[in-house]
Amino acid sequence: MFEDIETETEWVCGFCNKTYHKGQVFPIGEKFYTAEWAFKLHKDEHDIVEEILKLPRTATGLTEVQEALIPMLYAGLKDEEIASRMSISQSTVRNHRFRLREKEKQARMFLTVMEKLQLKHGDEVMPHKGATMLDDRYQTNVKEQEKILKTYFTDEGALLSFPAREKKKIIVLRRISTYFKEGATYSEKEVNRILSRVYEDHVLLRRYLIEYGFLDRTRDGAVYFLK
């Protein structure tokens, strides 16, 4: 989530997909900056808390009240002021603070459990959430996956060729799916733009990402998103 993309020709912001082409000069205020510096300045404009709160609740696990409360807590407002703005009592604000701390504890415990599972079964690579059928194609490990990715991708993330074997195809598609943000939506034009940076046949990649359950789209094909 929010992972930036760098290719031989450009930087792409992981928050908003804004693109900075290498070799170009960008005016910011009264000064001009190279693409690299313009990209860094652009990244500073994003606030990670604000960006997370823009995600759907299915991704954040937050309630509507918590979404409204967190920006005020983040701004350092006192309970009295928060209570006034939300038209609730101060004791209710304190109760929400307690629930958020409990959610934090639960998240930490869950991460600990997952880390232990990873240590115990670290070589196993779990199928992606949208996998349409679980079979031998998904039986792989980290070492095998890394070897295949090194074979098919350049250091800059471009795909050299699209594999014919099913297992390799799934591993390659899994990597390409990481160029899309969880909870974000994309037009077909935006999807094509992202995929064309990876491989010349972006139509093929788009078709397989949908077919193998990495991407999904609305019935009219106007909106794409991670499955």
Side-chain angles (χ1 to χ4, degrees), residues 8-106:
E8 291 183 353
T9 59
E10 61 193 5
W11 283 278
V12 183
C13 177
F15 289 107
C16 65
N17 292 321
K18 187 171 183 179
T19 301
Y20 290 82
H21 296 282
K22 296 179 180 179
Q24 290 187 3
V25 176
F26 295 82
I28 301 177
E30 298 180 353
K31 297 182 179 180
F32 291 86
Y33 295 86
T34 63
E36 181 178 6
W37 276 103
F39 178 68
K40 290 179 179 178
L41 291 172
H42 170 75
K43 289 287 293 181
D44 290 340
E45 296 175 1
H46 288 286
D47 186 295
I48 185 64
V49 173
E50 292 180 2
E51 297 297 336
I52 289 175
L53 290 175
K54 291 177 184 177
L55 296 174
R57 295 188 191 112
T58 53
T60 64
L62 297 172
T63 66
E64 184 177 357
V65 173
Q66 288 169 343
E67 282 185 346
L69 178 67
I70 286 174
M72 289 183 272
L73 295 175
Y74 188 51
L77 300 185
K78 302 294 185 182
D79 289 356
E80 182 180 1
E81 189 171 358
I82 294 174
S84 175
R85 292 191 181 190
M86 297 185 69
S87 299
I88 57 178
S89 67
Q90 291 187 50
S91 62
T92 301
V93 175
R94 289 192 292 272
N95 185 44
H96 282 303
R97 283 183 182 271
F98 173 78
R99 290 182 181 179
L100 286 172
R101 286 194 293 269
E102 287 299 301
K103 187 181 287 286
E104 179 189 11
K105 291 178 184 177
Q106 292 167 358

Side-chain angles (χ1 to χ4, degrees), residues 132-188:
T132 54
M133 183 183 297
L134 299 180
D135 50 34
D136 291 344
R137 297 175 300 170
Y138 292 93
Q139 292 182 3
T140 184
N141 55 57
V142 173
K143 186 176 291 186
E144 180 184 27
Q145 182 171 268
E146 289 178 349
K147 182 179 179 181
I148 290 172
L149 292 175
K150 286 182 180 179
T151 301
Y152 283 92
F153 285 90
T154 67
D155 292 338
E156 292 74 27
L159 182 63
L160 296 169
S161 62
F162 194 74
R165 289 186 59 187
E166 289 295 301
K167 178 181 285 190
K168 293 180 179 180
K169 192 180 295 182
I170 290 170
I171 290 172
V172 165
L173 290 171
R174 183 197 293 269
R175 166 57 62 85
I176 295 172
S177 71
T178 64
Y179 298 153
F180 297 89
K181 296 189 296 183
E182 185 78 34
T185 57
Y186 304 85
S187 66
E188 184 172 297

Side-chain angles (χ1 to χ4, degrees), residues 176 180 188-209 215:
I176 295 172
F180 297 89
E188 184 172 297
K189 184 177 180 180
E190 289 173 325
V191 171
N192 291 342
R193 180 166 59 85
I194 292 170
L195 296 179
S196 63
R197 301 190 195 105
V198 181
Y199 192 55
E200 56 186 7
D201 192 348
H202 62 270
V203 176
L204 178 142
L205 294 184
R206 190 184 70 220
R207 174 163 58 86
Y208 276 120
L209 284 168
L215 285 183

